[in-house]
């Protein structure tokens, strides 16, 4: 059965007020998750704190429905994007499946659904000692609107951590004469540079390559530099270093100032970001 079929079946026989939550809510909302959670066999629900716990083998129950916003998705009650993002903090930590970059990717997607980042901040602040608070709090100022895929987010994190200017996501690319040339995944408007993430799903077939080549020619004729980014450029050290040098050259930045080590994917928030614990007297 698909996730949607399983959630419909549960909802049809649910004995009390509930909403789908955590990883299940994220999947129903279209918020990207790491593979380990995307394959989670459980259906996660949240009920009121004072309600009886629902006990079924395939169901993972949580409490606190009264403090969470709920939306309707496919006719089902689902914890809203902001609270679902805050709930993902429960999966953060050593030995757990969600890391810092996963949270930022999910935060970008949740912010897009909401049209702003502020609700994510309010959701975290409304919790009393939420799990994963350090990582959630560190991730928040790094969440942006506009990314259309997880790898666009990860590409942005790579270039900014290296010390390059931050690009904007999916901005219009226009020639000097005002001709609209399309949208760019990562756009440095002042420097007239476009970064394009070339994912396997949409950019490997022969017809895709022909379309990509024509689009690149059109953008370059409009006096923009185009830099193509692939998965290895983000996840592999040597490829990442070479790609960052290429982007730096297009942006007019001295490649010697790049911090290639800091540009690597990050799973944990920096240790120094956590507040020091008070010593017991």
């Amino acid at each position: 059965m698909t996730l949607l079929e399983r959630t419909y079946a549960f909802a049809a026989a649910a004995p009390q007020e509930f909403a789908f939550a955590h990883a299940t809510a994220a999947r129903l909302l279209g918020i990207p998750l790491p593979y380990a959670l995307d394959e989670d066999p459980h259906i996660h629900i949240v009920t009121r704190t004072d309600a009886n716990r629902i006990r079924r083998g395939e169901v993972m129950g949580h409490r606190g429905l009264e403090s969470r916003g709920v939306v309707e998705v496919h006719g089902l009650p689902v914890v809203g994007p902001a609270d679902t993002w805050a709930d993902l903090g429960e999966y953060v930590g050593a030995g757990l499946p969600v890391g810092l970059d996963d949270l930022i990717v999910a935060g970008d997607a949740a912010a897009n659904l909401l049209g702003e980042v502020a609700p994510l901040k309010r959701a975290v602040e409304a919790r009393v000692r939420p799990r994963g608070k350090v990582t959630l709090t560190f991730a928040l100022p790094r969440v942006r609107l506009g990314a259309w895929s997880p790898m666009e987010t990860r590409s942005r994190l790579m270039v900014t951590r290296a010390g390059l200017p931050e690009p904007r996501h999916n901005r219009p690319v226009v020639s000097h004469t005002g001709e609209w040339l399309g949208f760019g995944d990562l756009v440095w408007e002042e420097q007239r540079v476009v970064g394009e993430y070339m994912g396997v799903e949409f950019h490997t077939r022969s017809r895709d390559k022909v379309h990509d080549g024509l689009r690149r020619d059109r953008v370059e004729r409009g006096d923009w530099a185009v830099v193509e980014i692939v998965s290895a450029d983000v996840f592999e050290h040597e490829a990442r270093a070479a790609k960052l040098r290429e982007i730096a050259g297009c942006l007019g930045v001295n490649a010697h100032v790049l911090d290639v080590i800091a540009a690597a994917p990050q799973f944990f928030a920096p240790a120094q970001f956590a507040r020091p614990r008070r010593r017991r007297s």
Side-chain angles (χ1 to χ4, degrees), residues 226-248:
V226 178
V227 179
E228 295 180 348
I229 303 169
V230 299
S231 177
D233 298 330
V234 176
F235 293 113
E236 298 177 14
H237 176 78
E238 294 300 328
R240 180 167 57 249
K243 185 58 59 175
L244 288 169
R245 288 193 294 269
E246 179 184 355
I247 297 172

mmCIF file of all heavy atoms in Angstrom, residues 226-248:
data_model
loop_
_atom_site.group_PDB
_atom_site.id
_atom_site.type_symbol
_atom_site.label_atom_id
_atom_site.label_comp_id
_atom_site.label_asym_id
_atom_site.label_seq_id
_atom_site.Cartn_x
_atom_site.Cartn_y
_atom_site.Cartn_z
ATOM 1 N N VAL A 226 27.278 30.844 -17.025
ATOM 2 C CA VAL A 226 26.529 29.700 -16.510
ATOM 3 C C VAL A 226 27.500 28.675 -15.941
ATOM 4 O O VAL A 226 28.460 28.274 -16.606
ATOM 5 C CB VAL A 226 25.676 29.043 -17.618
ATOM 6 C CG1 VAL A 226 24.940 27.830 -17.068
ATOM 7 C CG2 VAL A 226 24.688 30.050 -18.197
ATOM 8 N N VAL A 227 27.247 28.249 -14.702
ATOM 9 C CA VAL A 227 28.052 27.212 -14.054
ATOM 10 C C VAL A 227 27.129 26.035 -13.749
ATOM 11 O O VAL A 227 26.122 26.199 -13.065
ATOM 12 C CB VAL A 227 28.686 27.718 -12.747
ATOM 13 C CG1 VAL A 227 29.499 26.606 -12.090
ATOM 14 C CG2 VAL A 227 29.556 28.935 -13.007
ATOM 15 N N GLU A 228 27.466 24.874 -14.287
ATOM 16 C CA GLU A 228 26.663 23.678 -14.038
ATOM 17 C C GLU A 228 27.213 22.931 -12.825
ATOM 18 O O GLU A 228 28.420 22.743 -12.694
ATOM 19 C CB GLU A 228 26.667 22.790 -15.276
ATOM 20 C CG GLU A 228 25.973 23.439 -16.478
ATOM 21 C CD GLU A 228 25.967 22.570 -17.712
ATOM 22 O OE1 GLU A 228 26.694 21.544 -17.726
ATOM 23 O OE2 GLU A 228 25.246 22.905 -18.673
ATOM 24 N N ILE A 229 26.309 22.511 -11.945
ATOM 25 C CA ILE A 229 26.669 21.831 -10.698
ATOM 26 C C ILE A 229 26.035 20.453 -10.695
ATOM 27 O O ILE A 229 24.842 20.311 -11.010
ATOM 28 C CB ILE A 229 26.186 22.637 -9.477
ATOM 29 C CG1 ILE A 229 26.766 24.063 -9.507
ATOM 30 C CG2 ILE A 229 26.570 21.934 -8.171
ATOM 31 C CD1 ILE A 229 26.133 24.997 -8.482
ATOM 32 N N VAL A 230 26.808 19.424 -10.357
ATOM 33 C CA VAL A 230 26.283 18.070 -10.238
ATOM 34 C C VAL A 230 26.489 17.578 -8.806
ATOM 35 O O VAL A 230 27.165 18.225 -8.000
ATOM 36 C CB VAL A 230 26.945 17.109 -11.249
ATOM 37 C CG1 VAL A 230 26.672 17.551 -12.687
ATOM 38 C CG2 VAL A 230 28.446 17.009 -11.002
ATOM 39 N N SER A 231 25.923 16.430 -8.513
ATOM 40 C CA SER A 231 25.957 15.900 -7.151
ATOM 41 C C SER A 231 27.375 15.779 -6.602
ATOM 42 O O SER A 231 27.650 16.126 -5.446
ATOM 43 C CB SER A 231 25.266 14.535 -7.120
ATOM 44 O OG SER A 231 25.335 13.960 -5.836
ATOM 45 N N ALA A 232 28.296 15.295 -7.428
ATOM 46 C CA ALA A 232 29.673 15.117 -6.958
ATOM 47 C C ALA A 232 30.300 16.436 -6.522
ATOM 48 O O ALA A 232 31.141 16.467 -5.617
ATOM 49 C CB ALA A 232 30.516 14.478 -8.056
ATOM 50 N N ASP A 233 29.895 17.528 -7.156
ATOM 51 C CA ASP A 233 30.442 18.838 -6.795
ATOM 52 C C ASP A 233 30.090 19.221 -5.366
ATOM 53 O O ASP A 233 30.792 20.008 -4.732
ATOM 54 C CB ASP A 233 29.925 19.918 -7.746
ATOM 55 C CG ASP A 233 30.353 19.689 -9.183
ATOM 56 O OD1 ASP A 233 31.434 19.114 -9.395
ATOM 57 O OD2 ASP A 233 29.590 20.077 -10.091
ATOM 58 N N VAL A 234 29.005 18.690 -4.857
ATOM 59 C CA VAL A 234 28.563 19.003 -3.495
ATOM 60 C C VAL A 234 29.137 18.014 -2.483
ATOM 61 O O VAL A 234 29.562 18.404 -1.391
ATOM 62 C CB VAL A 234 27.020 19.008 -3.422
ATOM 63 C CG1 VAL A 234 26.537 19.243 -1.987
ATOM 64 C CG2 VAL A 234 26.440 20.064 -4.358
ATOM 65 N N PHE A 235 29.194 16.725 -2.874
ATOM 66 C CA PHE A 235 29.510 15.687 -1.889
ATOM 67 C C PHE A 235 30.943 15.163 -1.932
ATOM 68 O O PHE A 235 31.363 14.492 -0.992
ATOM 69 C CB PHE A 235 28.545 14.512 -2.075
ATOM 70 C CG PHE A 235 27.119 14.846 -1.733
ATOM 71 C CD1 PHE A 235 26.143 14.889 -2.712
ATOM 72 C CD2 PHE A 235 26.752 15.142 -0.425
ATOM 73 C CE1 PHE A 235 24.831 15.201 -2.400
ATOM 74 C CE2 PHE A 235 25.447 15.459 -0.098
ATOM 75 C CZ PHE A 235 24.478 15.490 -1.092
ATOM 76 N N GLU A 236 31.703 15.452 -2.994
ATOM 77 C CA GLU A 236 33.057 14.920 -3.099
ATOM 78 C C GLU A 236 34.079 16.069 -3.027
ATOM 79 O O GLU A 236 33.938 17.063 -3.741
ATOM 80 C CB GLU A 236 33.230 14.140 -4.402
ATOM 81 C CG GLU A 236 32.307 12.925 -4.480
ATOM 82 C CD GLU A 236 32.427 12.198 -5.802
ATOM 83 O OE1 GLU A 236 33.391 12.463 -6.561
ATOM 84 O OE2 GLU A 236 31.551 11.354 -6.093
ATOM 85 N N HIS A 237 35.090 15.885 -2.199
ATOM 86 C CA HIS A 237 36.012 16.984 -1.888
ATOM 87 C C HIS A 237 36.693 17.563 -3.124
ATOM 88 O O HIS A 237 36.690 18.791 -3.322
ATOM 89 C CB HIS A 237 37.066 16.513 -0.884
ATOM 90 C CG HIS A 237 38.101 17.554 -0.580
ATOM 91 N ND1 HIS A 237 37.866 18.615 0.272
ATOM 92 C CD2 HIS A 237 39.367 17.725 -1.055
ATOM 93 C CE1 HIS A 237 38.945 19.383 0.335
ATOM 94 N NE2 HIS A 237 39.868 18.863 -0.464
ATOM 95 N N GLU A 238 37.320 16.737 -3.930
ATOM 96 C CA GLU A 238 38.076 17.251 -5.076
ATOM 97 C C GLU A 238 37.167 17.957 -6.066
ATOM 98 O O GLU A 238 37.502 19.037 -6.580
ATOM 99 C CB GLU A 238 38.833 16.104 -5.764
ATOM 100 C CG GLU A 238 39.935 15.495 -4.913
ATOM 101 C CD GLU A 238 41.000 16.515 -4.530
ATOM 102 O OE1 GLU A 238 41.260 17.436 -5.327
ATOM 103 O OE2 GLU A 238 41.577 16.389 -3.425
ATOM 104 N N ALA A 239 36.022 17.347 -6.359
ATOM 105 C CA ALA A 239 35.085 17.979 -7.287
ATOM 106 C C ALA A 239 34.547 19.278 -6.707
ATOM 107 O O ALA A 239 34.370 20.270 -7.436
ATOM 108 C CB ALA A 239 33.933 17.015 -7.590
ATOM 109 N N ARG A 240 34.302 19.291 -5.402
ATOM 110 C CA ARG A 240 33.780 20.500 -4.753
ATOM 111 C C ARG A 240 34.803 21.633 -4.838
ATOM 112 O O ARG A 240 34.453 22.779 -5.155
ATOM 113 C CB ARG A 240 33.440 20.193 -3.296
ATOM 114 C CG ARG A 240 32.890 21.389 -2.530
ATOM 115 C CD ARG A 240 32.289 20.968 -1.201
ATOM 116 N NE ARG A 240 33.211 20.275 -0.351
ATOM 117 C CZ ARG A 240 33.149 18.988 -0.024
ATOM 118 N NH1 ARG A 240 32.193 18.227 -0.507
ATOM 119 N NH2 ARG A 240 34.041 18.433 0.783
ATOM 120 N N ALA A 241 36.065 21.324 -4.589
ATOM 121 C CA ALA A 241 37.101 22.346 -4.646
ATOM 122 C C ALA A 241 37.202 22.944 -6.043
ATOM 123 O O ALA A 241 37.309 24.171 -6.208
ATOM 124 C CB ALA A 241 38.447 21.744 -4.223
ATOM 125 N N ALA A 242 37.161 22.066 -7.055
ATOM 126 C CA ALA A 242 37.261 22.551 -8.440
ATOM 127 C C ALA A 242 36.052 23.410 -8.805
ATOM 128 O O ALA A 242 36.193 24.447 -9.465
ATOM 129 C CB ALA A 242 37.376 21.366 -9.397
ATOM 130 N N LYS A 243 34.879 22.976 -8.386
ATOM 131 C CA LYS A 243 33.665 23.740 -8.729
ATOM 132 C C LYS A 243 33.655 25.095 -8.027
ATOM 133 O O LYS A 243 33.250 26.110 -8.612
ATOM 134 C CB LYS A 243 32.418 22.935 -8.362
ATOM 135 C CG LYS A 243 31.110 23.563 -8.787
ATOM 136 C CD LYS A 243 31.051 23.805 -10.297
ATOM 137 C CE LYS A 243 31.214 22.531 -11.102
ATOM 138 N NZ LYS A 243 31.046 22.767 -12.563
ATOM 139 N N LEU A 244 34.082 25.132 -6.792
ATOM 140 C CA LEU A 244 34.126 26.407 -6.072
ATOM 141 C C LEU A 244 35.112 27.372 -6.721
ATOM 142 O O LEU A 244 34.852 28.575 -6.799
ATOM 143 C CB LEU A 244 34.478 26.166 -4.605
ATOM 144 C CG LEU A 244 33.370 25.532 -3.753
ATOM 145 C CD1 LEU A 244 33.913 25.087 -2.406
ATOM 146 C CD2 LEU A 244 32.201 26.496 -3.571
ATOM 147 N N ARG A 245 36.223 26.846 -7.187
ATOM 148 C CA ARG A 245 37.176 27.708 -7.891
ATOM 149 C C ARG A 245 36.559 28.255 -9.183
ATOM 150 O O ARG A 245 36.753 29.424 -9.534
ATOM 151 C CB ARG A 245 38.460 26.943 -8.195
ATOM 152 C CG ARG A 245 39.335 26.673 -6.973
ATOM 153 C CD ARG A 245 40.724 26.209 -7.367
ATOM 154 N NE ARG A 245 40.699 24.909 -8.030
ATOM 155 C CZ ARG A 245 40.814 23.742 -7.397
ATOM 156 N NH1 ARG A 245 40.964 23.707 -6.079
ATOM 157 N NH2 ARG A 245 40.790 22.610 -8.067
ATOM 158 N N GLU A 246 35.798 27.416 -9.873
ATOM 159 C CA GLU A 246 35.136 27.861 -11.104
ATOM 160 C C GLU A 246 34.125 28.971 -10.805
ATOM 161 O O GLU A 246 34.082 30.002 -11.494
ATOM 162 C CB GLU A 246 34.428 26.683 -11.782
ATOM 163 C CG GLU A 246 33.703 27.064 -13.061
ATOM 164 C CD GLU A 246 32.935 25.908 -13.666
ATOM 165 O OE1 GLU A 246 33.045 24.765 -13.144
ATOM 166 O OE2 GLU A 246 32.194 26.133 -14.659
ATOM 167 N N ILE A 247 33.320 28.770 -9.764
ATOM 168 C CA ILE A 247 32.323 29.780 -9.403
ATOM 169 C C ILE A 247 33.013 31.073 -8.966
ATOM 170 O O ILE A 247 32.599 32.175 -9.337
ATOM 171 C CB ILE A 247 31.393 29.251 -8.294
ATOM 172 C CG1 ILE A 247 30.600 28.046 -8.796
ATOM 173 C CG2 ILE A 247 30.437 30.347 -7.817
ATOM 174 C CD1 ILE A 247 29.805 27.332 -7.717
ATOM 175 N N ALA A 248 34.075 30.933 -8.176
ATOM 176 C CA ALA A 248 34.809 32.118 -7.721
ATOM 177 C C ALA A 248 35.335 32.914 -8.905
ATOM 178 O O ALA A 248 35.258 34.152 -8.923
ATOM 179 C CB ALA A 248 35.962 31.698 -6.806
#
